[in-house]
Amino acid sequence: MKKVITYGTYDLLHQGHINLLRRAKELGDYLIVGVTSDSFDRGRGKLNVRNNVLERVEAVKATGYADQIVIEDYVGQKIDDIQKYDVDVFAIGSDWEGQFDYLNEYCQVVYLPRTEGISSTMLRKESQNVFRVGIIGSGRIAKRFIPESKVVNGIEVVSVLNPDLREAKAFQQQFDLLEAHSDFANFIKGVDAVYVASPHLTHYDYAKRSLYADKHVLCEIPFVLKGEEAKELYDLAEQRGLVLLEACKTAHCPGFMHLVTLVKSGVIGDVVDVKASLSKMVTIPMRELDVAQAGGCITEHAPLTLMALIKLLGRDITDVNFHSRMQNGVDVFTKGIINFPHATSSITLGIGVKTEGNLVISGTKGYVYVPAPWWLTDYFEVRYEDQTKNKKFFYSYDGDGLRYEIQEFISMIVNHRMSSYRLRRRESITIAEVIEKYRNKENVTEI
Ligand code: CTP
């Protein structure tokens, strides 16, 4: 019996897939179809797959061509499957020409003609509205946002706003946008949603004006610097049926999300202490070092670190104490001790002091160690007294990692979801409240 194997995602199964499966089946007597698992696809940066693995398997089954279906879950599995199932022919569409020649060592490799004019990507695009997004601000993070937005379906960045029109135009040109504005009223007319990436002190005002203009808002960290402002904006978004999401990127990245669910499932017992550190040295005069622009490491780095504590320990903070080293009115190093009823925690932040930038979560059975930079979580270890039980976890953190929050933002708009479990509104408000305490100099000691 001649055995053939082929692989694919088979999302929104279409005629191209059916033709390919028929041709593959015709190459032998028995066809094995490998369907990618959801996590394998996500790991490969395929963020937009619509059907889950069960639906995709059912669709392949319904074609009637597959004699056996296997789930593809890891890099290198093709070689294992070919050997395990004694496969004679590996078949794949011609869009992969040459890329699987390495399998010739194990079986015959055949590239079959691809059906022109159809693909899952195309179907996904056609079936989804594209939201026109305008970026407020044209600085470093805004520049990283555009390439990241291109890997997410359903979003097109169309314009930029900067009070300095020359800067807006330079940004427009660099990223080939449709519009550049220095005037908010003109800017807001042409978009469905905004990404606020302007200086910290302008976030509240821009977010509020955008919500009043009935636009969805994705706002960079720090969202706002006062708890009441955060509450007011979330209430406003809710009243107007709009999505408002704090762009706390780590909360959306697959590695960090799994870390939280693992810890919450009790793998290290009760969590008793969390230590989160984040430092990025700033040596040339920039916004981060300017007191007039709310510079300092609390405003810069507290949102991601507080998010981690809150996701792991909750919002029931009993007391907060800060120790800071100041330079020209901004904190270049801050250590915050944040206590919970049954746990302690600390954040160690620097823009003028270098710290390791790791995250350590200590529990009654073991601890989790996430090496620097923990906020781009692609690896962590769960460690125990008995080291033979230690486990290492690996993830992919693609590109600049903004794609995950962008995808959630678009998904919330499409599905009319006002709140994201990845970062609840009340959690975001708690972050703003802690930052506000610091800025009000409550329990802050200079060192
Ligand atoms: N295929 C094909 N003709 C098409 C589309 C896909 O022959 N028009 C083949 C691919 O070459 C592959 C198999 O179908 O052998 C599964 O491909 P998959 O990646 O699942 O489908 P695409 O439509 O290419 O999906 P995407 O747009 O997500 O890449």
Side-chain angles (χ1 to χ4, degrees):
M1 185 168 66
K2 196 167 176 188
K3 279 191 179 176
V4 183
I5 198 161
T6 187
Y7 293 87
T9 301
Y10 306 103
D11 190 28
L12 306 173
L13 195 106
H14 54 69
Q15 195 56 44
H17 296 140
I18 297 170
N19 295 344
L20 191 285
L21 292 174
R22 190 189 62 247
R23 288 176 191 138
K25 173 86 182 194
E26 285 166 4
L27 293 173
D29 312 301
Y30 188 87
L31 178 65
I32 305 174
V33 181
V35 178
T36 49
S37 72
D38 295 330
S39 58
F40 185 52
D41 270 326
R42 266 198 305 276
R44 300 190 304 156
K46 275 198 163 191
L47 295 178
N48 301 306
V49 173
R50 289 280 179 79
N51 298 143
N52 67 36
V53 65
L54 289 179
E55 293 164 327
R56 292 182 284 112
V57 164
E58 283 308 315
V60 168
K61 228 189 245 174
T63 66
Y65 292 120
D67 296 289
Q68 185 178 349
I69 295 176
V70 296
I71 305 296
E72 185 185 20
D73 202 30
Y74 59 90
V75 179
Q77 188 182 324
K78 292 187 178 76
I79 296 178
D80 284 343
D81 288 345
I82 289 167
Q83 298 184 108
K84 185 156 87 189
Y85 300 113
D86 249 328
V87 168
D88 302 287
V89 182
F90 169 87
I92 196 93
S94 51
D95 44 323
W96 295 96
E97 189 79 49
Q99 293 191 51
F100 290 101
D101 289 356
Y102 68 91
L103 294 175
N104 272 313
E105 192 181 329
Y106 305 93
C107 68
Q108 185 192 352
V109 175
V110 176
Y111 297 100
L112 293 166
R114 184 180 162 90
T115 308
E116 292 307 316
I118 188 156
S119 74
S120 305
T121 306
M122 203 179 95
L123 294 178
R124 286 192 289 260
K125 276 204 179 123
E126 277 174 10
S127 63
Q128 187 171 20
N129 283 336
V130 174
F131 293 94
R132 293 166 305 163
V133 170
I135 302 190
I136 302 180
S138 53
R140 286 163 281 166
I141 190 77
K143 292 193 170 109
R144 287 156 65 188
F145 186 85
I146 296 190
E148 289 288 305
S149 72
K150 294 205 192 296
V151 299
V152 180
N153 277 346
I155 167 170
E156 189 187 352
V157 178
V158 292
S159 73
V160 60
L161 172 74
N162 189 313
D164 180 338
L165 190 59
R166 270 177 320 160
E167 286 201 23
K169 289 221 152 122
F171 189 89
Q172 174 194 21
Q173 217 170 12
Q174 184 179 354
F175 294 102
D176 201 16
L177 304 185
L178 292 174
E179 298 174 23
H181 295 278
S182 57
D183 173 64
F184 183 83
N186 288 330
F187 161 81
I188 205 77
K189 274 190 252 166
V191 301
D192 306 306
V194 300
Y195 169 53
V196 180
S198 51
H200 302 342
L201 291 171
T202 64
H203 286 186
Y204 168 73
D205 193 47
Y206 277 133
K208 189 167 169 174
R209 287 163 78 189
S210 303
L211 292 169
Y212 271 118
D214 284 321
K215 312 297 175 183
H216 305 284
V217 176
L218 175 65
C219 184
E220 248 322 313
I221 52 169
F223 169 36
V224 285
L225 305 178
K226 292 189 174 133
E228 276 308 319
E229 289 181 354
K231 263 190 219 141
E232 180 196 338
L233 292 176
Y234 283 117
D235 286 347
L236 181 60
E238 173 124 30
Q239 283 157 20
R240 302 181 82 88
L242 295 164
V243 171
L244 170 60
L245 182 67
E246 176 171 357
C248 197
K249 66 176 180 187
T250 310
H252 299 268
C253 91
F256 183 78
M257 284 167 56
H258 190 217
L259 179 153
V260 172
T261 52
L262 267 183
V263 170
K264 290 279 179 191
S265 312
V267 294
I268 56 165
D270 296 340
V271 179
V272 176
D273 184 53
V274 180
K275 279 191 265 185
S277 176
L278 205 170
S279 73
K280 278 185 192 163
M281 296 298 272
V282 180
T283 46
I284 47 171
M286 286 205 288
R287 171 179 57 73
E288 287 91 329
L289 294 172
D290 183 0
V291 68
Q293 296 189 67
C297 49
I298 276 282
T299 46
E300 206 58 38
H301 299 318
L304 294 182
T305 46
L306 289 174
M307 179 280 296
L309 308 190
I310 290 167
K311 289 304 297 179
L312 293 160
L313 296 171
R315 292 163 40 247
D316 199 3
I317 295 171
T318 51
D319 60 86
V320 184
N321 278 282
F322 299 103
H323 303 270
S324 289
R325 179 187 170 101
M326 307 297 288
Q327 190 181 303
N328 301 324
V330 305
D331 57 320
V332 291
F333 171 85
T334 290
K335 178 151 196 154
I337 316 286
I338 298 153
N339 291 319
F340 294 78
H342 303 290
T344 58
S345 73
S346 62
I347 55 174
T348 309
L349 315 173
I351 53 175
V353 172
K354 195 65 195 154
T355 67
E356 187 194 326
N358 57 12
L359 172 68
V360 183
I361 308 160
S362 306
T364 50
K365 292 185 184 158
Y367 73 97
V368 176
Y369 175 74
V370 195
W374 70 265
W375 54 96
L376 316 179
T377 327
D378 62 359
Y379 171 75
F380 60 83
E381 293 181 28
V382 180
R383 296 177 180 167
Y384 298 96
E385 190 68 46
D386 175 357
Q387 292 179 23
T388 60
K389 292 199 174 126
N390 289 2
K391 272 210 170 100
K392 298 177 179 187
F393 292 83
F394 300 85
Y395 305 84
S396 77
Y397 183 89
D398 292 322
D400 271 324
L402 305 184
R403 59 194 61 189
Y404 308 110
E405 71 191 21
I406 300 173
Q407 192 204 14
E408 177 70 350
F409 180 57
I410 297 299
S411 155
M412 289 170 79
I413 298 175
V414 170
N415 299 304
H416 307 290
R417 245 185 327 119
M418 296 298 124
S419 169
S420 170
Y421 72 93
R422 296 177 179 181
L423 184 66
R424 294 279 179 209
R425 289 176 288 191
R426 51 184 184 270
E427 294 170 333
S428 162
I429 293 168
T430 304
I431 294 173
E433 285 169 348
V434 175
I435 294 175
E436 181 178 4
K437 278 202 173 90
Y438 181 86
R439 291 176 54 78
N440 286 343
K441 304 251 177 286
E442 282 178 46
N443 300 330
V444 179
T445 311
E446 278 191 38
I447 55 168

